[in-house]
Amino acid sequence: MVRKAPRSTLFAALPVAAAVGVFGVSYGVLGTAAGIPGWQLVLLSVCTFAGSAQFAFVSAFATGAGPLGAIVSGGLLNTRYLATGAVAAQVLPGGRLRRLLLAQLVVDESYVLAVAAGTPARPDPGVLVAAGALEWLCWVTGSAVGVLIGNVLGDPARLGFDAAFPALFIALLWPLLDGPGARRCALGGALAAALVAPWAPGGVPLAAAALAGLLLSGRDGAGTPAGPPDERGDVT
Amino acid sequence: MSGTLLAVMGLSALTWACKGAGSLLPRIPEPLARRTAGLAPALLAGLVVTEVLDGNWLPRLDAKAAGVAVALVLAWRRTPLPVTVVAGAAVAALLRALA
């Protein structure tokens, strides 16, 4: 994999952050429709900053699963951050407390950009923090805007918001499929989610996908088909 | 305190724990770090599947599926991400407006 300059990756982070802001708006709209108080929706965005988990949270309330169901499905979705957070902790600067704070900026979108700027085993910390902070700002602002216009907009499905989600995930996934390992993991994740989804709600299919990805990752790493050994996983 | 506020605090605490555990624990072994490389593609593929299936065995061929199909073609053509996302949403919205 050719290493890209962080500058170009940060430039690529702008449209991603804008997309995160737009999804923040849809989160605010959907959350308002689910009957959750607006200030609590924004508070969740400020403190949690985990888009898919927050959508699982909202959908749990919308379908009457209640507070415990919302915590469980959102929390299961976030178990993947155990792994990404552990990788990020190896490259983030500072002591434990500072890394703990900076690790909160790790989300799928910032992580993917940081991997693109570095390697899967060593994501670029500068891109991770800068893109993560920008996305957090857009996510919180978007959430607040979504809450404000939630009652005016009406049905979010009318505007195609529901199709925007898989479209975003597809657009984020495609550039990662540059090696056989990554394609194997993506296929395994898709199959695992498809098999589990009809039986289990919320975050369980995604936990199955995460497990498939962990099991199917070769020792060579899923996204680095032919990198020099000194650039791959030289953990210091 | 309301149930939703309790849930907000509960999910926030869980997320902080998940994201921050790696910073608090001793450094993880290198093989584990390499193994986690497969998480992002597997999860993104899983998210696409759960979105499209929506709890069913087969995807419903509706406006949302049409938007996803358009996004798939655009991603394959390496169209920039915002264009892909907006186009997918716009196709779904347009089909619903026409229906």
Side-chain angles (χ1 to χ4, degrees):
Chain A
M1 180 188 287
V2 179
R3 272 173 162 261
K4 294 169 200 135
R7 181 182 291 270
S8 68
T9 313
L10 284 179
F11 190 69
L14 290 176
V16 176
V20 168
V22 171
F23 294 128
V25 173
S26 66
Y27 157 77
V29 171
L30 288 168
T32 308
I36 302 170
W39 68 272
Q40 292 182 16
L41 287 168
V42 178
L43 182 70
L44 187 64
S45 287
V46 170
C47 296
T48 297
F49 186 34
S52 48
Q54 289 181 237
F55 274 101
F57 182 92
V58 165
S59 92
F61 274 104
T63 55
L68 194 64
I71 293 175
V72 168
S73 63
L76 267 174
L77 265 172
N78 281 341
T79 50
R80 70 185 183 282
Y81 288 127
L82 278 171
T84 52
V87 177
Q90 295 176 50
V91 296
L92 289 173
R96 285 184 178 179
L97 187 64
R98 187 166 172 219
R99 280 187 286 146
L100 173 69
L101 289 171
L102 289 176
Q104 304 306 318
L105 295 173
V106 175
V107 287
D108 293 330
E109 289 83 355
S110 63
Y111 191 76
V112 165
L113 285 169
V115 165
T119 68
R122 293 190 66 77
D124 187 290
V127 170
L128 192 59
V129 171
L134 188 65
E135 286 161 10
W136 178 81
L137 200 65
C138 290
W139 178 247
V140 172
T141 309
S143 305
V145 171
V147 165
L148 287 176
I149 62 178
N151 295 322
V152 187
L153 259 178
D155 183 15
R158 196 168 51 85
L159 296 167
F161 278 2
D162 54 337
F165 281 98
L168 173 77
F169 297 136
I170 287 170
L172 286 171
L173 170 65
W174 210 267
L176 294 181
L177 301 177
D178 59 351
R183 284 195 280 269
R184 188 173 64 228
C185 291
L187 200 61
L191 278 174
L195 287 173
V196 173
W199 309 105
V204 182
L206 288 174
L211 192 65
L214 280 175
L215 293 174
L216 291 172
S217 291
R219 278 191 302 173
D220 55 329
T224 49
D230 59 317
E231 283 197 10
R232 291 191 282 118
D234 51 338
V235 180
T236 49
Chain B
M1 190 182 293
S2 71
T4 54
L5 187 55
L6 269 175
V8 164
M9 291 163 65
L11 181 57
S12 295
L14 270 180
T15 307
W16 273 73
C18 284
K19 286 186 177 180
S23 303
L24 297 176
L25 300 172
R27 287 168 186 265
I28 60 167
E30 185 186 340
L32 183 62
R34 289 191 182 173
R35 214 154 250 287
T36 54
L39 269 178
L43 271 164
L44 287 169
L47 279 165
V48 174
V49 166
T50 50
E51 280 281 345
V52 171
L53 289 184
D54 203 17
N56 304 305
W57 284 108
L58 292 168
R60 282 221 319 265
L61 297 177
D62 53 7
K64 182 180 177 181
V68 172
V70 167
L72 203 59
V73 171
L74 291 177
W76 175 58
R77 304 289 301 175
R78 303 268 166 170
T79 312
L81 184 140
V83 180
T84 305
V85 174
V86 171
V91 165
L94 195 67
L95 285 176
R96 288 201 183 107
L98 293 174

